[in-house]
Amino acid sequence: MAFFLSLYFCPEIKYWHIDTNKMKKLILIACIAIISTGVAVHAADAENDKEMSETKNVVPDVSSSSNNKSLSEIQDNPDDVASSGDLGQLTKFAKAISRLTLGGYGEAVYTRNFYSDYWRRYSNAENYKDAKSHGRFDLPHVVFFVGYDFGKGWMLGSEIEFEHGGTESAIEMEAEEMGEYENEIERGGEVALEQFWIQKSFSRALNLRMGHIVVPVGLTNQYHLPTEFFTVYRPEGENTILPCTWHETGISVWGRTKNWRYEAQFLSGLDADRFGSEGFISDGSGSPYEFKIANVYAGAFRVDNYSVKGFRIGLSGYYGYSFRNSLTNNSKYDAYNGEVMIGSVDFHYNRYNLIVRGNFDWGHLNDSEEITRFNKTLQAGSPSSKTPIASDAVATGVEAGYDIFAHIKKLKKDKQKFYLFGRYEYYDSMAKVESGIIDYGWCGKQRIAVGVNYFPVKEIVIKGEYSRRIYKSQYNDEPSVSLGVAYSGFFTR
């Protein structure tokens, strides 16, 4: 790094003749680079002792000095660095670098599914009992995080997420079709701004966050990094009945004391047009438009307790209206609000080389029959699935993993980990339906998974698993084998 900086600031180094003053400047700038790198490494090492969820959502207040020169100022005026006050300039330069946080997480996955992927496999299950297997490569989530500490308690956090490899499209001229232009969809993923917020920190116990934020309802939404669950994909239950990762634009008040963490949020309500049979309310958080409709509002909360060493237990919930939060209105349904109520309990235990995690989530939707009837009246091309919607949904699961490398002295000293794990979950997006709603039996299922997680370093994990979805007797079970590699961490601090 010092070499490239020297080429930038001192282009004369490309020639054999170097005068003494230029050499002094070169050495000084090399020292700056080394000190900056040292500060970044020191901060990253210190952060490893904190919980990953905290580091992901909070840019640390590394420096509060408002008189520091920016990196660009130092680059534009290298002669100032080489003059008086060199040590002070070095310190200011290091602090300017330390204000910036870069990080992220990502997953690459291969899965072989030993069942049919035809869309009618549930309505005509017997016809697909002996279907051939099929395979898939996937990039479920690739996320980049950028944060900056402005000082005086003001911070910026942002995340951009590429789901399933992102999306690509192009306009092409088809020579074989009389030179017609065609719009080609070359990749069918998604790109989304998952977080963008400004935060004012008054103290560790009181922080105000404003912007696009993660809604911390359920275990997976609060702890969704690939190093925070054992399975190759995110746990299916919560990922099915809840938005995941759930992010909304709103205001959050949160804080942390010795044994407690709390958060309360004011948000836009969900969009009932996009509720459905298989996903319950999960699709209601997004928006197919260039803006998020906010005709109705909602609130969310989360409380975690850390009193017992190595153990955390959390309670979270959500309440808000969902009906009429769309561009389509019908006065016939003015009396209905479509209240969404969610309650969740989750825990995490990590001690004695054993990790155990679990969750229980229940969701309730008032006026589900009226919402189902209303959605079916929407025009063709609307974002609604127009499928029956349940009044209640449930998801529960538990996973446990044991680090066998803890008993191999050399590997333990090297901080490598190798977990053998098992997971069980049950979820049903149509756990309860109103009298006029069709109950799709295949929406209720169990899932078991066994596998391994290998951590060569803390930030990287290689995963392998065998899983099986277990349905009621009239449907076919769905076994699969998955392999994945993932990372989660900070590139600089």
mmCIF file of all heavy atoms in Angstrom, residues 163-164 166-168 185-190:
data_model
loop_
_atom_site.group_PDB
_atom_site.id
_atom_site.type_symbol
_atom_site.label_atom_id
_atom_site.label_comp_id
_atom_site.label_asym_id
_atom_site.label_seq_id
_atom_site.Cartn_x
_atom_site.Cartn_y
_atom_site.Cartn_z
ATOM 1 N N GLU A 163 -29.826 -10.408 -4.158
ATOM 2 C CA GLU A 163 -30.424 -11.714 -3.884
ATOM 3 C C GLU A 163 -30.397 -12.572 -5.144
ATOM 4 O O GLU A 163 -30.757 -12.107 -6.226
ATOM 5 C CB GLU A 163 -31.863 -11.565 -3.394
ATOM 6 C CG GLU A 163 -31.964 -10.976 -2.001
ATOM 7 C CD GLU A 163 -33.364 -11.112 -1.428
ATOM 8 O OE1 GLU A 163 -34.199 -11.804 -2.058
ATOM 9 O OE2 GLU A 163 -33.628 -10.543 -0.364
ATOM 10 N N HIS A 164 -29.948 -13.803 -4.990
ATOM 11 C CA HIS A 164 -29.913 -14.778 -6.084
ATOM 12 C C HIS A 164 -29.120 -14.256 -7.285
ATOM 13 O O HIS A 164 -29.499 -14.465 -8.444
ATOM 14 C CB HIS A 164 -31.334 -15.172 -6.498
ATOM 15 C CG HIS A 164 -32.184 -15.597 -5.340
ATOM 16 N ND1 HIS A 164 -31.964 -16.769 -4.657
ATOM 17 C CD2 HIS A 164 -33.221 -14.987 -4.704
ATOM 18 C CE1 HIS A 164 -32.847 -16.878 -3.671
ATOM 19 N NE2 HIS A 164 -33.614 -15.808 -3.684
ATOM 20 N N GLY A 166 -28.486 -11.090 -8.108
ATOM 21 C CA GLY A 166 -28.863 -9.802 -8.679
ATOM 22 C C GLY A 166 -29.734 -9.979 -9.915
ATOM 23 O O GLY A 166 -30.210 -11.080 -10.217
ATOM 24 N N THR A 167 -29.951 -8.912 -10.636
ATOM 25 C CA THR A 167 -30.815 -8.968 -11.816
ATOM 26 C C THR A 167 -30.112 -8.318 -13.002
ATOM 27 O O THR A 167 -29.365 -7.352 -12.842
ATOM 28 C CB THR A 167 -32.157 -8.255 -11.547
ATOM 29 O OG1 THR A 167 -32.986 -8.340 -12.701
ATOM 30 C CG2 THR A 167 -31.942 -6.805 -11.169
ATOM 31 N N GLU A 168 -30.332 -8.872 -14.172
ATOM 32 C CA GLU A 168 -29.729 -8.348 -15.393
ATOM 33 C C GLU A 168 -30.772 -8.340 -16.502
ATOM 34 O O GLU A 168 -31.554 -9.282 -16.639
ATOM 35 C CB GLU A 168 -28.542 -9.207 -15.842
ATOM 36 C CG GLU A 168 -27.384 -9.239 -14.858
ATOM 37 C CD GLU A 168 -26.260 -10.146 -15.323
ATOM 38 O OE1 GLU A 168 -26.331 -10.623 -16.469
ATOM 39 O OE2 GLU A 168 -25.330 -10.383 -14.543
ATOM 40 N N ILE A 185 -34.436 -10.721 -20.339
ATOM 41 C CA ILE A 185 -34.132 -10.859 -18.913
ATOM 42 C C ILE A 185 -33.070 -11.933 -18.787
ATOM 43 O O ILE A 185 -33.321 -13.116 -19.037
ATOM 44 C CB ILE A 185 -35.383 -11.243 -18.103
ATOM 45 C CG1 ILE A 185 -36.486 -10.207 -18.302
ATOM 46 C CG2 ILE A 185 -35.021 -11.370 -16.625
ATOM 47 C CD1 ILE A 185 -36.121 -8.815 -17.849
ATOM 48 N N GLU A 186 -31.850 -11.527 -18.401
ATOM 49 C CA GLU A 186 -30.724 -12.451 -18.387
ATOM 50 C C GLU A 186 -30.444 -13.034 -17.007
ATOM 51 O O GLU A 186 -29.747 -14.036 -16.883
ATOM 52 C CB GLU A 186 -29.477 -11.736 -18.913
ATOM 53 C CG GLU A 186 -29.652 -11.265 -20.359
ATOM 54 C CD GLU A 186 -28.446 -10.509 -20.874
ATOM 55 O OE1 GLU A 186 -27.522 -10.252 -20.086
ATOM 56 O OE2 GLU A 186 -28.419 -10.191 -22.068
ATOM 57 N N ARG A 187 -30.944 -12.394 -15.972
ATOM 58 C CA ARG A 187 -30.787 -12.921 -14.614
ATOM 59 C C ARG A 187 -31.981 -12.467 -13.801
ATOM 60 O O ARG A 187 -32.331 -11.288 -13.805
ATOM 61 C CB ARG A 187 -29.485 -12.426 -13.982
ATOM 62 C CG ARG A 187 -29.196 -13.048 -12.616
ATOM 63 C CD ARG A 187 -27.915 -12.489 -12.017
ATOM 64 N NE ARG A 187 -26.753 -12.821 -12.824
ATOM 65 C CZ ARG A 187 -26.062 -13.944 -12.728
ATOM 66 N NH1 ARG A 187 -26.438 -14.873 -11.849
ATOM 67 N NH2 ARG A 187 -25.023 -14.166 -13.493
ATOM 68 N N GLY A 188 -32.607 -13.413 -13.078
ATOM 69 C CA GLY A 188 -33.866 -13.108 -12.416
ATOM 70 C C GLY A 188 -33.789 -12.890 -10.930
ATOM 71 O O GLY A 188 -34.732 -13.217 -10.212
ATOM 72 N N GLY A 189 -32.697 -12.357 -10.427
ATOM 73 C CA GLY A 189 -32.588 -12.091 -8.998
ATOM 74 C C GLY A 189 -33.147 -10.727 -8.626
ATOM 75 O O GLY A 189 -33.972 -10.151 -9.331
ATOM 76 N N GLU A 190 -32.684 -10.209 -7.496
ATOM 77 C CA GLU A 190 -33.159 -8.922 -7.008
ATOM 78 C C GLU A 190 -31.994 -8.106 -6.477
ATOM 79 O O GLU A 190 -31.000 -8.651 -6.008
ATOM 80 C CB GLU A 190 -34.179 -9.121 -5.877
ATOM 81 C CG GLU A 190 -35.406 -9.915 -6.267
ATOM 82 C CD GLU A 190 -36.318 -10.156 -5.072
ATOM 83 O OE1 GLU A 190 -36.218 -9.413 -4.071
ATOM 84 O OE2 GLU A 190 -37.131 -11.091 -5.136
#
